[in-house]
Amino acid sequence: VVTVPCLFKKISGVYNDLFEYQKLIKKCIETENTLVFNNNNISTEIKFSEDMYELMFCQLSDGTFDIAQVKKSKFYKFQKFSDEVQNLLLNKFNETIKAKDVFANAFDKKACLELLCLVLSLNEDIVKLIDNFDFTSNIPKIVIFLDEENTLSEQMIKLLAYLHLIGLDIVVFNPSGSLNFNLILMKEGYTEDRLESMKYDISFKKVMSLKRGFFSKLFDM
């Protein structure tokens, strides 16, 4: 059994020196194997339709889902990836719904089905990131920057927790501090750093477009 050390971190607020804040963001987004999202959902939000309930027939008596049956579903779209990647995605889904130390509330049948549909609709860029997973040197990373007072939906937070269990490093920059994980995730499931001040009018574009003046660069101010 190999345990991959990875982080799931929410960074609330900003440094008073915005150039230091910019430096922190750059350090996170300029690493290899990193996907960066600015406000947009990292994947597709799910709206239930009646035919999605047919996936319930893939559920076993212990609450997990039969992987072989899920692969036969009309919703399944990962056939072009290797068996290893397909099995990783589905096995980690089963681990996620059985986890006792990640989510604040236990999964009922509808919540299990919702997460399964989210996984089966997973952004292909993220699947490709996982496909290139090399736990020895190339751990995939997702960085999210939430402008102003924007937050993430419950579906996206659950999906991030699932991706973290796969082994992805995840960092969420939340300058306003408005995003509240602890209604959905247990405190043991993530870490939070609070920086010097909360800012409600900061955007990714604004921070990344900051430029030091000549004398500031000269004296490293």
Side-chain angles (χ1 to χ4, degrees):
V1 176
V2 176
T3 301
V4 180
C6 56
L7 58 87
F8 186 4
K9 185 176 287 291
K10 174 177 175 279
I11 301 177
S12 298
V14 304
Y15 290 124
N16 291 332
D17 182 346
L18 287 179
F19 288 107
E20 285 300 308
Y21 189 55
Q22 183 193 70
K23 188 186 299 183
L24 173 63
I25 296 168
K26 284 182 176 180
K27 188 173 183 180
C28 293
I29 67 176
E30 291 176 357
T31 55
E32 283 188 66
N33 252 20
T34 300
L35 285 178
V36 181
F37 297 90
N38 178 209
N39 289 328
N40 299 324
N41 286 338
I42 65 167
S43 196
T44 304
E45 288 268 4
I46 294 302
K47 292 183 179 178
F48 275 105
S49 58
E50 287 297 321
D51 55 349
M52 287 180 179
Y53 283 97
E54 73 179 50
L55 287 167
M56 296 302 297
F57 293 105
C58 303
Q59 193 166 27
L60 302 172
S61 59
D62 66 351
T64 62
F65 284 70
D66 185 314
I67 286 175
Q69 290 301 314
V70 171
K71 288 180 178 179
K72 294 176 184 176
S73 163
K74 65 184 179 183
F75 301 103
Y76 193 71
K77 64 175 188 178
F78 301 138
Q79 294 89 343
K80 69 179 181 181
F81 295 99
S82 68
D83 288 340
E84 289 80 4
V85 169
Q86 294 183 53
N87 292 337
L88 174 64
L89 292 170
L90 296 177
N91 283 326
K92 283 296 180 181
F93 160 74
N94 277 332
E95 285 184 33
T96 301
I97 61 175
K98 300 292 282 185
K100 303 296 185 184
D101 58 350
V102 178
F103 298 98
N105 300 300
F107 275 80
D108 58 19
K109 286 191 173 184
K110 184 175 181 181
C112 289
L113 180 59
E114 179 183 81
L115 184 60
L116 178 58
C117 290
L118 281 169
V119 170
L120 296 182
S121 302
L122 190 60
N123 181 338
E124 194 165 287
D125 287 338
I126 297 177
V127 181
K128 290 175 180 176
L129 196 67
I130 296 168
D131 194 22
N132 285 296
F133 198 154
D134 178 355
F135 68 86
T136 61
S137 62
N138 219 9
I139 295 176
K141 303 166 186 65
I142 289 177
V143 177
I144 301 169
F145 191 102
L146 299 173
D147 290 350
E148 300 174 344
E149 297 182 61
N150 290 333
T151 61
L152 293 171
S153 70
E154 181 175 343
Q155 285 190 0
M156 291 301 108
I157 293 172
K158 287 180 177 179
L159 192 58
L160 286 175
Y162 158 76
L163 293 171
H164 176 58
L165 289 177
I166 287 179
L168 276 68
D169 283 339
I170 296 169
V171 178
V172 180
F173 286 96
N174 180 214
S176 71
S178 301
L179 177 61
N180 194 349
F181 273 174
N182 64 15
L183 297 176
I184 300 164
L185 304 178
M186 296 181 70
K187 289 184 178 179
E188 296 82 0
Y190 68 98
T191 58
E192 180 173 3
D193 290 343
R194 286 181 68 86
L195 303 184
E196 294 166 336
S197 58
M198 302 299 118
K199 291 289 186 183
Y200 305 98
D201 59 351
I202 292 291
S203 68
F204 182 75
K205 183 178 180 180
K206 183 185 293 185
V207 173
M208 301 313 290
S209 63
L210 290 171
K211 295 185 184 298
R212 289 186 184 272
F214 173 76
F215 288 106
S216 295
K217 291 180 181 178
L218 185 63
F219 295 105
D220 195 27
M221 296 171 62

